[in-house]
């Protein structure tokens, strides 16, 4: 493993290549970030009695750690790249400054093997988010690099505990080793599903929770591909937030559809008795699958869901719909067959998809044209039209948007960063272009993203 010298610790900033300058600070102070992640290859046991070789994590010793930040408080994260390839870290859903967004060439240079980068940002919103690489994204995510972020609000809603649940599949064979991360024929369709469902890198973990207590389950679907229907059985449970944003009214957790990149915060009232277990269930046409079990322990705390205080809405600006400009985006097949350019951030070597008939040219220095240029502070309606018979979770970096309407269904008035666009659906969403910079805009089925279904929006300063 390469070591890290002080000279290799790079200061944050778009393309900042200045060696770390300690300035007036001593070296130890200058190097101490609040959080530290070491991008690592490791062998780890996912399936019982087998060790999966060549996993990748944000830690040398196990699954990616849960990162906990505080709303409105600046934090620093040193990312050391101990992989043998380049990487970069994106903080999904955080509305932070563009130069900290972690997209290769668009916002920073890839962090090469053996190098480091310090991220520094101030999360404006509370909720459940996640983090992942944006370089060689398909392989690095497939090998394990997805972690949960919790941004705490100043005010507590009254939970006894919270439990982040990093929900994803791995593509493993019967021997516990990785099989091909995807199949090209699937990449041109709905995407390639994993073979082993996990929560926090474990198949069917059991969590012991205080009986009768109130637990905030933080579901984060960090899978590459799967659009799933989830439910909680065996206990009272309410959905209180989706994609980090509180619902105006909590709704019973009967069933929720979550696509790659999406999150749901669920208030769970743990059963009173140790004999009554609750379960997180993935609903599948061929039978439900238990993903995790919640085992009550001890005497009942006797809590009641009605004791919870409502979550405070995040300070996402409301679009001025009367004066908003409409921008059209068509998601569909790629008109040409040119593969994306080869890159140290990887290319699958195929182009199947496009946005507005333009396939993303690859994670290379470019320059590329933005799909649209937005004026800072102005309101926009983005009209998403899906010309394909596949679903696409459409993710915008740097800004959250409000769901307005669809030609297929009634949309809840949710604020989100990732909207599931159903097959052949046209959907309108609205935002205020309040964050200057070049913001990646792509499908979160990673095979689609890496075979053309990506681009960026520019917000002029
Ligand atoms: Cu897609």
């Amino acid at each position: 493993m390469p070591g890290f010298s002080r000279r290799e610790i790079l200061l944050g900033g778009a393309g900042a290549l200045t060696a770390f300058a300690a300035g007036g600070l001593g070296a130890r102070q200058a190097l101490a970030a609040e959080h530290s992640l070491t991008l690592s290859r490791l062998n780890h046991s996912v399936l019982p009695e087998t060790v999966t070789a060549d996993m990748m994590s944000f830690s040398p010793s196990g699954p990616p750690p849960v990162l906990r930040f505080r709303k409105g408080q600046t934090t620093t994260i040193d990312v050391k790249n101990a992989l043998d390839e380049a990487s970069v870290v994106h903080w999904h859903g955080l509305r932070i400054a563009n130069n900290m967004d972690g997209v290769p060439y668009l916002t920073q240079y890839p962090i090469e093997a053996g190098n480091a980068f310090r991220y520094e940002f101030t999360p404006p919103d509370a909720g459940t988010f996640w983090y992942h690489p944006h370089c060689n994204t398909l392989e690095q995510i497939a090998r394990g690099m997805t972690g949960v972020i919790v941004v705490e609000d100043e005010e507590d809603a009254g939970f006894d505990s919270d439990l982040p649940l990093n929900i994803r599949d791995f593509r493993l064979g019967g021997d516990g080793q990785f099989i091909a991360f995807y199949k090209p024929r699937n990449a041109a369709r709905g995407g390639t599903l994993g073979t082993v469902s996990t929560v926090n890198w474990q198949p069917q973990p059991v969590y012991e929770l205080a009986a009768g207590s109130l637990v905030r389950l933080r579901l984060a679907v960090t899978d590459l591909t799967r659009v799933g229907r989830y439910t909680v059985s065996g206990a009272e449970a309410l959905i209180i937030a989706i994609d980090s944003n509180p619902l105006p009214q909590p709704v019973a957790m009967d069933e929720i559809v979550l696509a790659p990149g999406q999150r749901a915060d669920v208030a769970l009232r743990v059963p009173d008795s140790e004999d009554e277990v609750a379960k997180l269930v993935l609903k599948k046409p061929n039978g439900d699958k238990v993903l995790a079990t919640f085992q009550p322990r001890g005497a009942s705390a006797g809590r009641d869901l009605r004791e919870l205080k409502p979550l405070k809405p995040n300070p996402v600006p409301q679009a001025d719909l009367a004066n908003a400009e409409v921008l059209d985006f068509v998601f569909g097949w790629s008109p040409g067959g040119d593969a994306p350019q080869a890159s140290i951030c990887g290319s699958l070597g195929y182009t199947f998809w496009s946005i507005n008939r333009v396939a993303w040219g690859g994670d290379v220095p470019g320059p590329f044209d933005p799909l649209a240029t937005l004026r800072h502070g102005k309101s926009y309606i983005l009209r998403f039209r899906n010309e394909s018979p596949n679903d696409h979770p459409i993710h915008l970096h740097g800004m959250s948007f409000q769901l307005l309407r669809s030609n297929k269904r009634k949309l809840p008035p949710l604020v989100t960063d990732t909207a599931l666009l159903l097959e052949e659906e046209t959907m309108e969403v609205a935002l205020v272009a309040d964050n200057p910079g070049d913001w990646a805009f792509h499908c979160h089925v990673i095979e689609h993203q890496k075979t053309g279904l990506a681009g960026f929006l520019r917000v002029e300063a």
Side-chain angles (χ1 to χ4, degrees):
M1 288 292 166
F4 300 99
S5 72
R6 272 186 54 215
R7 296 196 63 79
E8 286 170 313
I9 306 286
L10 303 184
L11 271 179
L17 285 169
T18 332
F20 194 98
L25 296 171
R28 283 179 64 86
Q29 284 168 293
L31 288 177
E34 264 181 70
H35 304 271
S36 166
L37 299 172
T38 304
L39 315 189
S40 310
R41 262 184 201 262
L42 74 164
N43 301 332
H44 184 87
S45 181
V46 174
L47 295 173
E49 289 164 35
T50 65
V51 172
T52 301
D54 281 328
M55 299 191 73
M56 287 183 178
S57 181
F58 294 90
S59 152
S61 57
V66 174
L67 293 176
R68 288 183 185 268
F69 306 140
R70 289 197 78 86
K71 176 178 156 184
Q73 284 189 14
T74 302
T75 190
T76 48
I77 306 146
D78 275 345
V79 171
K80 298 171 189 169
N81 185 0
L83 301 171
D84 49 10
E85 61 182 65
S87 191
V88 70
V89 186
H90 169 60
W91 321 95
H92 185 118
L94 296 189
R95 300 185 299 128
I96 54 178
N98 191 249
N99 61 2
M100 292 292 128
D101 192 48
V103 179
Y105 303 109
L106 209 57
T107 73
Q108 71 173 99
Y109 285 103
I111 309 168
E112 304 237 15
N115 283 359
F117 186 90
R118 177 170 289 185
Y119 291 91
E120 178 171 347
F121 51 73
T122 310
D125 304 318
T128 303
F129 303 84
W130 65 294
Y131 63 105
H132 64 83
H134 231 277
C135 176
N136 200 14
T137 315
L138 185 109
E139 178 173 349
Q140 291 184 7
I141 289 185
R143 290 188 185 277
M145 292 176 76
T146 61
V148 178
I149 295 172
V150 172
V151 181
E152 313 267 10
D153 212 333
E154 309 91 65
E155 218 174 296
D156 176 61
F159 287 99
D160 296 297
S161 60
D162 84 345
L163 180 59
L165 300 169
N166 178 359
I167 301 166
R168 57 163 298 164
D169 298 348
F170 288 96
R171 276 180 61 78
L172 302 178
D175 59 356
Q177 304 311 309
F178 285 111
I179 56 175
F181 298 129
Y182 78 104
K183 295 177 180 166
R185 70 183 303 277
N186 293 346
R189 297 175 175 82
T192 310
L193 292 174
T195 61
V196 175
S197 297
T198 65
V199 172
N200 298 334
W201 280 30
Q202 295 170 279
Q204 303 193 321
V206 177
Y207 295 98
E208 300 199 343
L209 302 172
S213 67
L214 299 179
V215 179
R216 181 169 180 168
L217 303 177
R218 297 177 176 274
L219 281 61
V221 174
T222 74
D223 193 57
L224 297 115
T225 314
R226 186 184 296 279
V227 177
R229 293 175 183 279
Y230 298 87
T231 190
V232 169
S233 70
E236 272 185 280
L238 296 173
I239 305 168
I240 55 172
I242 295 177
D243 298 338
S244 320
N245 290 292
L247 302 187
Q249 286 295 328
V251 297
M253 174 65 174
D254 294 330
E255 179 177 298
I256 186 169
V257 175
L258 293 171
Q262 293 196 292
R263 295 86 66 200
D265 287 58
V266 174
L268 172 73
R269 202 289 186 174
V270 180
D272 291 307
S273 152
E274 294 193 353
D275 300 332
E276 306 167 85
V277 293
K279 290 178 173 150
L280 173 67
V281 175
L282 173 65
K283 295 176 105 173
K284 294 168 96 168
N286 54 350
D288 293 353
K289 186 173 173 53
V290 174
L291 296 180
T293 300
F294 309 112
Q295 170 67 58
R297 283 290 177 229
S300 176
R303 297 288 310 272
D304 189 314
L305 283 168
R306 285 168 297 191
E307 293 163 22
L308 293 172
K309 284 185 280 211
L311 302 175
K312 270 216 304 244
N314 286 319
V316 177
Q318 273 227 310
D320 172 6
L321 296 179
N323 296 296
E325 184 181 332
V326 178
L327 301 173
D328 280 290
F329 300 95
V330 177
F331 305 94
W333 303 113
S334 168
D338 288 348
Q341 296 174 57
S343 158
I344 61 167
C345 283
S347 163
L348 303 191
Y350 301 94
T351 295
F352 300 123
W353 300 96
S354 67
I355 305 179
N356 288 350
R357 318 281 175 217
V358 178
W360 180 240
D363 296 321
V364 294
F368 295 117
D369 292 328
L371 291 160
T373 299
L374 286 63
R375 278 193 23 226
H376 189 206
K378 195 170 143 61
S379 292
Y380 291 87
I381 291 173
L382 312 184
R383 186 183 292 142
F384 300 161
R385 187 154 63 83
N386 184 357
E387 280 192 338
S388 79
N390 305 105
D391 297 346
H392 301 287
I394 302 300
H395 173 47
L396 175 63
H397 291 211
M399 288 168 288
S400 298
F401 50 84
Q402 190 190 345
L403 303 184
L404 294 179
R405 51 194 156 258
S406 152
N407 66 340
K408 288 190 97 165
R409 56 189 165 138
K410 186 168 163 42
L411 294 177
L414 294 177
V415 175
T416 180
D417 47 69
T418 309
L420 178 60
L421 187 62
L422 301 176
E423 56 179 278
E424 318 285 353
E425 182 177 35
T426 297
M427 178 191 284
E428 289 185 349
V429 307
L431 59 72
V432 180
D434 67 339
N435 202 356
D438 287 346
W439 297 108
F441 179 56
H442 62 89
C443 178
H444 230 290
V445 172
I446 308 297
E447 286 156 82
H448 294 170
Q449 174 193 352
K450 292 294 283 183
T451 56
L453 223 166
F456 69 97
L457 306 186
R458 174 167 292 161
V459 177
E460 286 183 330

